[in-house]
């Protein structure tokens, strides 16, 4: 469950709002006691692992096949939701599990994102710089996917934008 939802429910149960530090302290104690696990965005019951119904397994498999069929220009988020039967929780589960990666408003399979990132780094090691157009052409994709990838590499501090080109970050 998103941290904000847990916080709202705790506040409602208490009949008052906890200060952010108080809420964090309560969650830290719950985690230390082995009751919950959490990351920056979500809190879940310790040991919880979602299990999918047979129907959900089928739509996930069909969705991942659609991504595999077009690794450099996969379905957009709306199409992905339609493939998943408009089940937003199922989409978020795929993102949280790392099967899909959300970058700059687009979704990629983790394996495809990793391969594309490695290809950009290899290109940069050989050529020293890469443009948005070169990235687009490298993968035979649209500007939207190439730009999302480059911006994510910038955010991950793998590359640095200099005018209209990207270069590898030093060290």
């Amino acid at each position: 469950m998103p941290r904000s939802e847990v916080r709202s429910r705790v506040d409602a149960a208490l009949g008052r709002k906890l200060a952010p530090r108080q809420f964090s302290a309560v969650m830290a104690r719950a985690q230390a006691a082995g009751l919950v696990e959490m990351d920056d965005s979500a809190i879940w019951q310790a040991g919880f692992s979602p299990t999918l119904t047979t129907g959900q397994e089928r739509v996930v498999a069909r969705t991942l096949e659609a991504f595999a069929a077009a690794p450099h220009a996969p379905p957009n988020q709306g199409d992905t939701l339609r493939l998943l039967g408009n089940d937003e929780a199922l989409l978020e589960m795929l993102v949280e599990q790392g099967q899909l990666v959300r970058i700059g408003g687009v979704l990629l399979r983790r394996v495809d994102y990793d391969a594309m990132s490695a290809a950009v780094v290899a290109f940069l090691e050989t050529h020293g710089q890469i443009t948005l157009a070169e990235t687009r052409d490298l993968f035979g994709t649209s500007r939207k996917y190439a730009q999302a990838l480059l911006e994510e590499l910038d955010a991950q501090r793998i590359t640095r934008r200099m005018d209209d080109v990207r270069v590898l970050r030093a060290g």
Side-chain angles (χ1 to χ4, degrees), residues 17-170:
K17 285 188 170 259
L18 287 178
R21 285 186 182 180
Q22 291 173 314
F23 176 74
S24 294
V26 168
M27 289 299 104
R29 282 193 173 168
Q31 185 176 29
L35 300 173
V36 299
E37 296 176 36
M38 59 186 164
D39 60 23
D40 290 340
S41 61
I43 299 171
W44 59 94
Q45 183 178 2
F48 174 77
S49 178
T51 52
L52 301 178
T53 66
T54 304
Q56 287 173 321
E57 287 175 356
R58 275 196 303 271
V59 297
V60 165
R62 184 178 68 222
T63 301
L64 295 176
E65 287 170 6
F67 274 76
H72 303 132
N76 64 33
Q77 186 157 324
D79 291 339
T80 302
L81 270 172
R82 281 188 283 288
L83 286 167
L84 292 170
N86 293 314
D87 189 338
E88 290 185 29
L90 201 51
L91 173 58
E92 291 310 312
M93 184 201 75
L94 292 172
V95 171
E96 288 171 14
Q97 289 180 341
Q99 293 186 62
L100 295 179
V101 178
R102 185 177 283 126
I103 59 167
V106 302
L107 295 165
L108 295 169
R109 285 187 317 160
R110 166 62 65 188
V111 65
D112 300 325
Y113 168 74
D114 291 344
M116 292 170 77
S117 297
V120 168
V121 169
F123 187 95
L124 288 167
E125 288 171 343
T126 302
H127 298 93
Q129 65 184 34
I130 193 167
T131 64
L132 177 60
E134 288 170 327
T135 305
R136 182 196 63 215
D137 295 346
L138 181 64
F139 301 112
T141 191
S142 70
R143 183 179 196 283
K144 173 175 80 172
Y145 291 99
Q147 184 171 358
L149 175 65
L150 291 176
E151 288 176 357
E152 182 64 18
L153 292 175
D154 292 346
Q156 295 295 321
R157 303 187 60 80
I158 295 167
T159 59
R160 181 170 42 100
R161 183 175 178 178
M162 296 177 57
D163 298 319
D164 290 337
V165 300
R166 281 357 191 257
V167 297
L168 283 175
R169 283 195 180 263

